[in-house]
Amino acid sequence: MKILTTQLTGLFQRIAKEEQAIEDTARFLAQAVIGEGSIHLAAFGELEAVAASALNGAETLESAVRYDPSAELSTADRVWILAPKDEGDSLAQELSGRAVPFAMLTAESHRNERADVFLSMNIDKGLLPSEDGGRIMLPHGLGALYV
């Protein structure tokens, strides 16, 4: 348990160093609330935990809705793509082509030049050693919830 706690603490400290990108994302998403728009959450894989927490948690995210591809988006709306790696790239390309403002968070090392705001948590390997010499415990969801 100590090893896991130490590794998670290190991960959270590493993510915290991305304070500027986190603040940029927060400001970008807040524009939807101020501009009478909505924050559309497009979550993939275990990063769905962020959408579940934002929509159903004890402290819901104001103006947040689950992304619906058929929804009419206005310039006041913002889309937040949360993906383990490249799962959100086709949506990013589509939104970019439609001039829809969006932010993107990825768990693993990845880059998307189309996003208005982008952050990668760079969680590319497990935190703990396994018996066979590999790595286990990929905390993608925990990292995304921390952001």
Side-chain angles (χ1 to χ4, degrees):
M1 191 62 146
K2 277 186 173 182
I3 294 172
L4 178 58
T5 301
T6 300
Q7 292 293 350
L8 285 171
T9 300
L11 171 67
F12 294 150
Q13 288 173 344
R14 192 176 76 224
I15 292 171
K17 289 180 183 175
E18 297 296 332
E19 182 177 5
Q20 186 64 49
I22 294 169
E23 288 179 5
D24 289 348
T25 300
R27 278 191 290 277
F28 180 77
L29 297 175
Q31 291 172 3
V33 179
I34 294 167
E36 298 182 14
S38 296
I39 300 169
H40 297 259
L41 302 172
F44 298 85
E46 76 177 281
L47 274 66
E48 180 66 36
V50 175
S53 180
L55 299 172
N56 306 312
E59 297 178 27
T60 59
L61 179 61
E62 185 179 342
S63 299
V65 297
R66 190 171 304 280
Y67 175 75
D68 178 353
S70 65
E72 290 292 324
L73 300 174
S74 76
T75 55
D77 293 319
R78 298 292 182 266
V79 177
W80 193 16
I81 300 172
L82 304 117
K85 190 168 184 172
D86 58 359
E87 295 83 354
D89 283 356
S90 62
L91 176 58
Q93 184 173 357
E94 176 192 331
L95 294 173
S96 179
R98 294 173 32 205
V100 174
F102 71 96
M104 190 168 190
L105 172 72
T106 62
E108 296 181 19
S109 295
H110 188 61
R111 187 75 191 135
N112 189 299
E113 300 296 329
R114 299 176 193 271
D116 294 281
V117 182
F118 181 85
L119 172 62
S120 175
M121 296 182 292
N122 299 316
I123 305 171
D124 296 322
K125 61 182 181 177
L127 297 181
L128 304 174
S130 66
E131 291 180 12
D132 67 0
R135 306 287 293 179
I136 58 171
M137 178 50 191
L138 280 165
H140 293 166
L142 285 173
L145 286 167
Y146 181 72
V147 170

